[in-house]
Amino acid sequence: MTMDFVGNEKVADFLLNKASGGLSHAYLFVGPRGLGKRTLAELLAARVFGVEIAKLRSHPDFLVLERGVDEKTGKTNRDIKVGEMREFIERLSLRSVTGRGVIAIVDGAEMLNDSSANSFLKTLEEPPKGTTIILISESETDLPKTIISRAQLFRFNPVVEAKISAALVRRGVSNIKSAEVARLAHGRPGLAFDYISGKGDLVGWEDGIDRLQTITGLSFAEKIKKMEDLYGDKSDPVAQREVIRNILTAWIIAWRDALVDGKDWHGISVGELRKLIDRVRSTISDIEGNVHPRLALENLLILIP
């Protein structure tokens, strides 16, 4: 297995061994962020084309569709628009430039709205000859069954800490720091690798755990004040939701660690922690839906002792 990919080796081996021939017309990679779904898709494309991953973006037979940015506001769109999908389908209809086929990625397939998903069905079922479409999604349940039925499904599972830690050591990180980051990554090697590069969710998760320690035991008004800066640019609800989701994920990790150790958290009992974890999961679902992130977070803060 290449050093660029950690965890879910059976899936990776199966697909990479087919790079020289025998790829299916469509695959669906499902699992939380940071498990290597996009990385494997790019590794597969690079092997098919015989190039380095760094050169994929300029390769004429490598296509990527993901949420676009609104030209007027500069904000990330909430979904993948039908116009973006139609342009993607038109590009797929063109013949391979290199003669090695086309690899097309739809990253964030759960962000397809009804119109863009419906317009994609025929192409997904019968793409041009030599084309492989890879759908990447965090949630299988958020995808229409008509999309799922047209692709070969691979579920990506969390990776054990030891594998993530060993991979970090190979990248020059100390043993102590590797173990710490692997634990914080909670089974997601991609998050760990981003962290050691000074970016990604784990940077936000550390901040989230610090905030949780700070607000525990404060009055509701004091909690609100401590969290005020999280709301950032209120005109960009997509970015706002992402920041708060990272914070809440960090809280789940901190409380889970306490449960594993059989300890309370700053006076919050084990039984209360279990209830709070369930409530945080519910709050994340609300935020990913149509509930305003500030309202959802404030309703949660009321429950934290």
Side-chain angles (χ1 to χ4, degrees):
M1 178 56 55
T2 175
M3 186 175 169
D4 294 320
F5 194 79
V6 177
N8 291 279
E9 288 89 352
K10 289 183 178 179
V11 174
D13 286 339
F14 175 81
L15 292 173
L16 292 173
N17 286 335
K18 287 182 172 291
S20 59
L23 286 175
S24 177
H25 72 286
Y27 297 106
L28 171 58
F29 294 174
V30 173
R33 289 176 301 165
L35 293 182
K37 302 184 301 298
R38 176 67 175 261
T39 298
L40 181 56
E42 292 181 349
L43 280 170
L44 184 59
R47 183 165 294 190
V48 168
F49 300 139
V51 300
E52 296 176 359
I53 287 182
K55 296 182 179 180
L56 278 179
R57 281 293 182 176
S58 60
H59 197 283
D61 292 331
F62 179 70
L63 309 178
V64 177
L65 174 64
E66 51 195 345
R67 283 187 299 172
V69 175
D70 189 294
E71 294 182 357
K72 295 181 179 179
T73 65
K75 310 300 182 185
T76 304
N77 293 327
R78 290 199 61 179
D79 51 20
I80 297 175
K81 309 295 183 185
V82 66
E84 295 170 327
M85 175 56 75
R86 287 171 178 162
E87 182 181 345
F88 183 68
I89 292 171
E90 184 176 349
R91 293 175 64 196
L92 280 175
S93 68
L94 302 177
R95 185 173 299 179
S96 168
V97 174
T98 63
R100 296 193 177 192
V102 172
I103 303 292
I105 296 175
V106 179
D107 198 350
E110 71 273 19
M111 299 298 178
L112 294 169
N113 60 35
D114 291 342
S115 296
S116 56
N118 289 334
S119 68
F120 190 39
L121 292 179
K122 184 177 180 180
T123 299
L124 181 59
E125 186 169 18
E126 297 182 14
K129 186 177 180 180
T131 295
T132 294
I133 299 171
I134 302 174
L135 305 170
I136 298 173
S137 177
E138 291 186 34
S139 171
E140 185 179 345
T141 58
D142 291 334
L143 289 169
K145 292 182 179 179
T146 50
I147 292 287
I148 297 173
S149 66
R150 286 166 167 79
Q152 186 174 350
L153 174 63
F154 290 98
R155 294 184 178 89
F156 285 62
N157 299 310
V159 182
V160 296
E161 286 184 18
K163 282 188 177 181
I164 298 175
S165 180
L168 292 172
V169 171
R170 292 197 299 270
R171 286 161 172 77
V173 182
S174 71
N175 289 333
I176 294 177
K177 188 64 176 179
S178 293
E180 177 186 341
V181 173
R183 180 192 62 78
L184 192 59
H186 210 64
R188 306 184 190 190
L191 303 185
F193 301 152
D194 281 347
Y195 175 81
I196 62 174
S197 299
K199 58 182 181 180
D201 289 345
L202 290 191
V203 176
W205 289 8
E206 279 194 323
D207 172 57
I209 291 175
D210 288 343
R211 285 177 185 271
L212 182 59
Q213 292 173 327
T214 300
I215 67 171
T216 302
L218 297 181
S219 69
F220 178 67
E222 290 172 320
K223 291 173 187 172
I224 293 294
K225 187 175 181 179
K226 292 288 185 182
M227 305 296 283
E228 186 68 33
D229 65 300
L230 283 181
Y231 302 115
D233 184 354
K234 298 178 179 61
S235 66
D236 189 356
V238 174
Q240 194 176 344
R241 283 177 168 84
E242 193 71 16
V243 170
I244 295 177
R245 182 171 71 166
N246 285 343
I247 292 290
L248 296 183
T249 301
W251 294 4
I252 291 176
I253 290 172
W255 286 335
R256 274 180 177 171
D257 286 346
L259 288 177
V260 169
D261 293 337
K263 300 177 180 178
D264 63 8
W265 171 274
H266 294 258
I268 303 175
S269 70
V270 170
E272 289 177 306
L273 288 179
R274 290 195 178 97
K275 293 178 182 179
L276 284 172
I277 288 173
D278 288 340
R279 184 54 190 263
V280 172
R281 288 194 184 113
S282 177
T283 301
I284 290 174
S285 296
D286 290 342
I287 289 172
E288 291 174 341
N290 294 319
V291 178
H292 194 285
R294 180 170 192 144
L295 176 62
L297 181 58
E298 289 182 355
N299 286 337
L300 175 63
L301 291 177
I302 294 173
L303 302 177
I304 297 177

